[in-house]
Amino acid sequence: MTVGDIGAGGGYHTVRLSHLVGPAGSVIAQDVTRDYLIELARRTELLKLTNVQFALGEPHDPRLPASSLDAAILVHMYHEIAQPYAFLYNLAPALKPGTWVGIVDLELPTSKHGTPIALLRCELSAVGYREVATYKLAGDGGYLAIFSPPELAARKSPRDIVACGDPADTR
């Protein structure tokens, strides 16, 4: 199995996923900040994690190989995505059929480092992702939302994606 840690940052989840997928699996640590990936590469080398690969993305494109992911996680980072529609559109080709995308965030305005669940649902559905399940997490008002990606043949053209109204105007 290949899992994408989208917005890997310091690699908290990358390191744990590396052990979970084992030597036959792999983790692609993706981020838009080169320095984070350089430091994470040093860390994985010290830890002798040989199943981690790295992908430097852009704000509008995660720049992942086509059909490379069996699962993807975005943990406490979705609210940081400056161009969510383009990012999600460009993420879809990297997702194999049957892939799920798990997003963990807080039920807070994006300006307060969260993403209201209604905004998350709207933005993902605008690009053609379908909600599979949502779970409230204990403690901090967080949630885990799971989505399936749009089928590539039925994927909307970028010009057909209609932006969601954000009543808090936080994007």
Side-chain angles (χ1 to χ4, degrees):
M1 171 179 255
T2 299
V3 179
D5 183 5
I6 311 301
Y12 179 88
H13 297 288
T14 298
V15 169
R16 284 150 182 81
L17 287 167
S18 172
H19 296 294
L20 286 173
V21 300
S26 63
V27 178
I28 300 178
Q30 184 280 340
D31 209 290
V32 297
T33 304
R34 181 182 301 278
D35 290 346
Y36 291 167
L37 294 177
I38 290 169
E39 188 57 36
L40 182 52
R42 286 185 188 125
R43 183 176 176 204
T44 58
E45 187 175 336
L46 285 172
L47 294 171
K48 297 181 175 35
L49 303 177
T50 58
N51 62 350
V52 178
Q53 303 165 40
F54 303 91
L56 179 63
E58 297 179 40
H60 71 284
D61 189 347
R63 294 185 155 280
L64 294 165
S67 298
S68 60
L69 301 180
D70 296 296
I73 63 167
L74 295 84
V75 180
H76 293 297
M77 63 74 61
Y78 184 84
H79 59 270
E80 301 288 347
I81 299 173
Q83 300 174 40
Y85 304 103
F87 191 88
L88 292 167
Y89 180 85
N90 290 315
L91 174 63
L95 305 172
K96 293 178 184 175
T99 298
W100 284 358
V101 177
I103 300 173
V104 174
D105 219 328
L106 298 172
E107 182 66 46
L108 294 171
T110 54
S111 62
K112 295 191 186 241
H113 300 288
T115 306
I117 191 67
L119 178 62
L120 181 78
R121 288 175 172 143
C122 185
E123 289 181 352
L124 273 93
S125 69
V127 182
Y129 288 74
R130 294 168 311 285
E131 185 174 359
V132 174
T134 302
Y135 304 95
K136 184 176 179 174
L137 303 177
D140 64 359
Y143 60 82
L144 164 63
I146 301 170
F147 291 85
S148 61
E151 301 207 10
L152 292 184
R155 199 164 58 136
K156 292 180 179 181
S157 165
R159 69 177 175 271
D160 294 331
I161 297 171
V162 177
C164 301
D166 182 2
D169 196 30
T170 54
R171 279 254 183 234

